Amino acid sequence: MQVMTAPMAGVTDYSFRKILYEFSPDIIFTEMVDVNALKYNNHRTLDEILRRAGNEAVQIFGNKNDDFLQAVKILINKGFGHIDINLGCPMKKIVRAGKGSALLLEYEFVKNLTADIKKEYGSDITLSIKIRTGYKNFSNPEYYVNLAEEYDLYQICIHGRTQEQMYSGYADWNIIKEMKQKYKNVTIIGNGDLTNLQEIKEKTELAKPDGIMLARGLLGNPWLIKAAKDYFNTGESVEYEVSREEIKNTLIKHINYCIEDKGEIRANLDMRKHIFWYLKNLENIEKIKNDIIKIKTIRDVLKYIVDNI
Ligand SMILES: Cc1cc2nc3c(=O)[nH]c(=O)nc-3n(C[C@H](O)[C@H](O)[C@H](O)COP(=O)(O)O)c2cc1C
């Protein structure tokens, strides 16, 4: 069973990916990358989102065939070997532009795009897609599983939610189960609600996918990768007890990675959410949280964490 980490815009940046690599998942995805930004050589996209902590798979989104093809070429030249097409982003701004999950309705477009990328670059990269189970009057994930089979895609990741659900409600793992039962030769990765080992166990036992993609379960908890891998390797589900010391050390490391990568001002903005995610499971954390909120610079936050956690 493959264990991979999801693309998460604004979250799986270089510094978090460096942390994730320390837990050795099978695949780590970048944040989604706009094919247009690649085309216009947008500085932030190229230098920041695509900075490599290892052998990341890059996820791209867009709405024009040529732009996708050009982006794939640029990424190949930059040495990336696994490219994933985003057919799932539910955000209004993206969907209104006909990108992300809006592409689920564009059967022909996606089919032609897949065919073109495979034809042009099939020997240079592995290609995969990530879908949701529905968008507007699209409710036919099978079309894309079938496409994955037809074009011999490396994998298809099914997030068991519709676009309308955004990030709430339950992910429907019965759809993932049905698809896996029907398409034995397609590598199907299940995604959605894998927030702890119990969920991972139940959902994989139900659907028997070829792999899982962890997403929000990783926020403040990269140890979930290890728990999942240990479970799949041994068959025993032992919830991994993470000590306060481990959380503290990982958090300090993560902050330092982010400062090195983005500088103190950006790190101060970008790390706040991560800090609270790491701290959420510790006991007696209210005072610490309130103190951190009042501290202005990331250096002082770091010092506070060293001294108080
Ligand atoms: C903050 C955030 C950013 C995300 N960004 C992306 C993205 O760039 N590309 C993508 O395919 N999915 C993205 N997702 C969706 C996740 O990859 C995943 O499919 C979703 O969170 C469901 O898994 P979960 O219920 O375990 O969190 C994002 C999710 C979150 C919470």
Side-chain angles (χ1 to χ4, degrees), residues 6-9 11 31-32 59 86 130 159 161 167 191-194 215-217:
M8 282 186 278
V11 174
E31 305 171 70
M32 64 178 189
Q59 192 195 54
N86 180 318
K130 179 167 181 277
H159 174 190
R161 286 190 177 83
Y167 292 102
N191 168 245
D193 294 334
L194 300 171
R216 283 172 295 178

Side-chain angles (χ1 to χ4, degrees), residues 49-111:
I49 300 187
L50 293 176
R51 193 159 303 147
R52 286 159 67 149
N55 193 20
E56 283 99 331
V58 185
Q59 192 195 54
I60 53 178
F61 74 100
N63 62 2
K64 291 204 177 66
N65 185 296
D66 286 354
D67 292 351
F68 271 108
L69 284 168
Q70 204 170 334
V72 171
K73 189 173 174 193
I74 293 167
L75 291 169
I76 290 170
N77 289 336
K78 290 186 107 20
F80 288 99
H82 179 167
I83 293 174
D84 184 79
I85 300 175
N86 180 318
L87 303 175
C89 181
M91 307 308 285
K92 279 211 175 79
K93 199 176 90 182
I94 302 286
V95 174
R96 275 201 206 111
K99 303 173 184 178
S101 49
L103 284 182
L104 291 170
L105 275 173
E106 306 298 327
Y107 299 95
E108 282 305 308
F109 174 88
V110 178
K111 192 180 168 91

Side-chain angles (χ1 to χ4, degrees), residues 162-181:
T162 63
Q163 183 271 339
E164 285 79 2
Q165 281 181 282
M166 303 294 282
Y167 292 102
S168 59
Y170 295 110
D172 184 352
W173 277 74
N174 282 313
I175 295 181
I176 300 168
K177 177 184 174 182
E178 265 172 50
M179 292 300 111
K180 188 61 239 181
Q181 279 178 346

Side-chain angles (χ1 to χ4, degrees), residues 84-289:
D84 184 79
I85 300 175
N86 180 318
L87 303 175
C89 181
M91 307 308 285
K92 279 211 175 79
K93 199 176 90 182
I94 302 286
V95 174
R96 275 201 206 111
K99 303 173 184 178
S101 49
L103 284 182
L104 291 170
L105 275 173
E106 306 298 327
Y107 299 95
E108 282 305 308
F109 174 88
V110 178
K111 192 180 168 91
N112 291 336
L113 176 63
T114 307
D116 289 349
I117 296 177
K118 280 300 260 190
K119 182 163 161 253
E120 200 76 24
Y121 304 112
S123 54
D124 303 313
I125 51 157
T126 46
L127 183 65
S128 61
I129 56 178
K130 179 167 181 277
I131 67 165
R132 283 194 177 233
T133 52
Y135 171 63
K136 289 194 174 162
N137 56 350
F138 162 84
S139 57
N140 181 19
E142 186 169 352
Y143 176 85
Y144 290 102
V145 181
N146 200 32
L147 187 88
E149 180 163 64
E150 187 180 346
Y151 288 94
D152 194 23
L153 297 187
Y154 185 70
Q155 68 184 40
I156 173 169
C157 175
I158 305 176
H159 174 190
R161 286 190 177 83
T162 63
Q163 183 271 339
E164 285 79 2
Q165 281 181 282
M166 303 294 282
Y167 292 102
S168 59
Y170 295 110
D172 184 352
W173 277 74
N174 282 313
I175 295 181
I176 300 168
K177 177 184 174 182
E178 265 172 50
M179 292 300 111
K180 188 61 239 181
Q181 279 178 346
K182 198 155 171 197
Y183 291 85
K184 300 252 177 327
N185 296 327
V186 178
T187 301
I188 295 182
I189 309 300
N191 168 245
D193 294 334
L194 300 171
T195 48
N196 57 48
L197 197 54
Q198 191 55 32
E199 294 277 350
I200 291 171
K201 190 169 181 273
E202 281 169 21
K203 290 182 164 63
T204 53
E205 273 174 9
L206 171 79
K208 301 196 169 41
D210 300 288
I212 56 168
M213 184 182 276
L214 302 174
R216 283 172 295 178
L218 294 169
L219 305 180
N221 188 17
W223 295 273
L224 190 60
I225 300 166
K226 180 177 159 40
K229 287 183 61 159
D230 286 352
Y231 166 59
F232 294 128
N233 286 336
T234 64
E236 283 170 40
S237 65
V238 183
E239 200 73 59
Y240 186 54
E241 285 283 334
V242 190
S243 69
R244 199 173 174 104
E245 202 59 22
E246 270 177 284
I247 294 175
K248 174 179 176 173
N249 291 339
T250 304
L251 173 55
I252 291 171
K253 203 189 304 182
H254 192 162
I255 296 174
N256 278 321
Y257 286 159
C258 195
I259 293 174
E260 279 164 33
D261 183 38
K262 295 181 173 171
E264 289 184 22
I265 292 171
R266 290 279 310 286
N268 196 24
L269 294 170
D270 289 1
M271 280 307 298
R272 296 277 170 166
K273 56 183 184 289
H274 284 284
I275 292 169
F276 294 124
W277 288 330
Y278 279 102
L279 299 182
K280 69 181 177 243
N281 294 324
L282 295 183
E283 280 165 20
N284 302 326
I285 215 65
E286 279 316 305
K287 179 182 173 332
I288 291 178
K289 273 170 131 175

